[in-house]
Amino acid sequence: MKGKKIRNGDIENALNKFLKDEHHLVLGFKKGTDGIHHQVFKGGVDNYSLINHVFGTNGALYLRRIFSKGIEVLLMMRPCEIRAYVELHKLTQIEREDIIAISIDCPGTVSSKESKNNMPAEIDQLKGYFSSNNSMRWACSVCREKRGVVGDGGIRFDKTGNLWIIPYTEKGERIISIIEGELEEIPHEMLIDRSKETEKFQVDMETFNKDFEKCIMCMNCRDMCPVCYCLDCVFNGDEYLPKGDALLNKVFRTGSTTMPRGKDLFHLIRMYHVSQTCVGCGACEEACPQGIPLTKYFKGVSERLQGLFSYMSGRSFDEPIPYITFLEDELKEAED
Ligand code: SF4
Ligand code: SF4
Ligand code: SF4
């Protein structure tokens, strides 16, 4: 596979060239006095940061319902953010026509709720930093794809500290063409390796109830999930809760009851809805004020389900989401 070796300043120069067109935007990271945050750059980049070692949100959240024609957006984001974009495109929530997606090798992140003192911000130092302590978010420690191998192109780090930009589609080739230098064979060994297989998730309802007992139904987890996109969510308002005569009917039918809150229903329906598209980013858990281990459930359930269909969310633009394809001859073992 061929790519271009990137020298200091090459990426900023390329982004500035891209942004010379007034209809072009870049969504990436910017260093500020209060840390590194997602930024939409217009006209040029300033204080640009290739990576962000602190996870607050999944940037694909900002991309839902981009349908504008004639405005080209270049995404420079983490693999889990680009994978969520790919899923949103398949779910017809984003037009791919005017988006160019570049995924960047990700060494893992810490939660925005944790202390960031003495934490290096460079990728090669971060890898060493994470191996000497356990501050990495759980979602990152079991991440299925940390490599910049998804989307239209990738930025990868080799073991000697060189940075490479590699095209995967024609759009990626277009971006790479504005970077100085010639295409050359990329090294086989990169800093970030393919992820190891994780154990199959399995849990009982007792543990589920215990883990979710502190849930206050604030629905932050839903609101911050990049692939939980329904405008008209069944859990908006309180129609899903029995009340008035429906509540009285329930009490007379079943006897004394705790007041229904629909907690299990909410989480199980959400789990079912995102199970084929969840990218395991942990943005739901990051948003939870109650510290509920949501990633364990959402990532766990989705990876088991995706595995049944040999599917991996966001891996490819061409791989259809299993539930939007119908094959008569599949899942034989699940038949009655
Ligand atoms: S889930 Fe993976 S891609 Fe996303 S921030 Fe963590 S390590 Fe990076
Ligand atoms: S359910 Fe959680 S882990 Fe899965 S995509 Fe949504 S925010 Fe990320
Ligand atoms: S964010 Fe946490 S507390 Fe709020 S609904 Fe989700 S699991 Fe419950």
Side-chain angles (χ1 to χ4, degrees):
M1 188 176 274
K2 289 193 169 181
K4 277 188 186 173
K5 201 184 270 180
I6 300 169
R7 293 156 311 178
N8 242 352
D10 274 353
I11 293 185
E12 285 83 347
N13 289 342
L15 296 181
N16 283 331
K17 268 191 211 165
F18 178 79
L19 288 170
K20 272 198 178 142
D21 186 318
E22 59 174 15
H23 298 107
H24 285 183
L25 301 171
V26 170
L27 176 57
F29 296 113
K30 177 177 173 161
K31 291 180 207 128
T33 47
D34 58 344
I36 304 173
H37 299 287
H38 285 107
Q39 174 89 4
V40 183
F41 296 97
K42 185 174 183 312
V45 292
D46 61 314
N47 291 314
Y48 174 74
S49 178
L50 191 57
I51 61 168
N52 182 0
H53 53 296
V54 180
F55 191 99
T57 50
N58 183 317
L61 185 76
Y62 305 114
L63 303 173
R64 297 197 304 227
R65 295 180 282 282
I66 289 195
F67 303 121
S68 267
K69 300 281 181 220
I71 298 170
E72 201 161 29
V73 188
L74 170 60
L75 311 179
M76 298 285 288
M77 303 206 292
R78 303 172 177 118
C80 63
E81 298 180 300
I82 299 298
R83 287 176 57 208
Y85 149 67
V86 172
E87 290 304 289
L88 286 170
H89 162 65
K90 291 181 201 170
L91 292 162
T92 65
Q93 294 304 298
I94 305 177
E95 294 270 7
R96 189 179 162 202
E97 198 180 313
D98 292 324
I99 306 263
I100 307 167
I102 307 288
S103 56
I104 298 156
D105 270 4
C106 178
T109 58
V110 291
S111 161
S112 59
K113 298 168 188 165
E114 302 294 328
S115 155
K116 274 81 79 184
N117 289 342
N118 308 321
M119 221 189 137
E122 303 306 323
I123 189 163
D124 44 346
Q125 293 160 19
L126 270 171
K127 206 173 171 220
Y129 174 84
F130 283 131
S131 56
S132 65
N133 63 59
N134 58 4
S135 61
M136 190 189 285
R137 290 185 316 131
W138 186 79
C140 296
S141 68
V142 290
C143 176
R144 266 182 110 180
E145 190 52 274
K146 293 180 169 193
R147 302 170 301 163
V149 296
V150 288
D152 297 303
I155 294 188
R156 311 233 32 219
F157 295 77
D158 73 21
K159 288 205 163 161
T160 59
N162 290 316
L163 209 58
W164 295 83
I165 181 157
I166 306 154
Y168 305 133
T169 66
E170 279 178 18
K171 286 182 183 194
E173 278 166 13
R174 230 186 83 211
I175 292 302
I176 282 141
S177 72
I178 56 176
I179 290 189
E180 302 287 322
E182 297 299 318
L183 285 172
E184 51 185 301
E185 209 56 44
I186 59 163
H188 285 300
E189 299 228 308
M190 291 287 176
L191 192 68
I192 310 281
D193 298 325
R194 184 186 288 274
S195 303
K196 295 192 182 74
E197 287 282 314
T198 48
E199 272 179 31
K200 274 194 179 159
F201 173 72
Q202 185 129 17
V203 84
D204 52 61
M205 276 316 278
E206 202 184 326
T207 315
F208 174 91
N209 288 332
K210 197 162 181 335
D211 278 339
F212 283 87
E213 72 188 0
K214 286 191 293 177
C215 173
I216 52 172
M217 287 293 278
C218 65
M219 301 191 197
N220 282 356
C221 47
R222 174 200 66 179
D223 296 345
M224 298 312 282
C225 171
V227 293
C228 208
Y229 64 88
C230 298
L231 270 178
D232 199 8
C233 174
V234 65
F235 292 102
N236 286 342
D238 59 0
E239 288 307 313
Y240 63 96
L241 290 176
K243 52 189 174 304
D245 283 348
L247 175 64
L248 296 186
N249 279 341
K250 180 175 162 62
V251 175
F252 279 101
R253 218 176 46 244
T254 59
S256 304
T257 179
T258 43
M259 292 303 283
R261 294 171 57 210
K263 206 159 59 174
D264 297 353
L265 197 66
F266 169 65
H267 290 295
L268 293 173
I269 286 186
R270 207 178 90 71
M271 224 174 272
Y272 160 69
H273 276 188
V274 302
S275 56
Q276 299 199 28
T277 50
C278 168
V279 292
C281 63
C284 45
E285 185 166 326
E286 186 64 24
C288 177
Q290 297 294 83
I292 294 170
L294 290 159
T295 323
K296 179 172 98 178
Y297 288 91
F298 283 80
K299 178 184 162 64
V301 165
S302 67
E303 284 180 7
R304 279 204 73 165
L305 190 80
Q306 290 175 28
L308 277 180
F309 296 96
S310 306
Y311 183 71
M312 178 175 161
S313 54
R315 172 169 57 189
S316 157
F317 289 109
D318 305 323
E319 213 177 353
I321 297 176
Y323 68 50
I324 54 177
T325 52
F326 173 70
L327 299 177
E328 212 168 304
D329 192 23
E330 68 178 349
L331 292 183
K332 286 277 178 213
E333 62 279 21
E335 282 179 5
D336 287 340

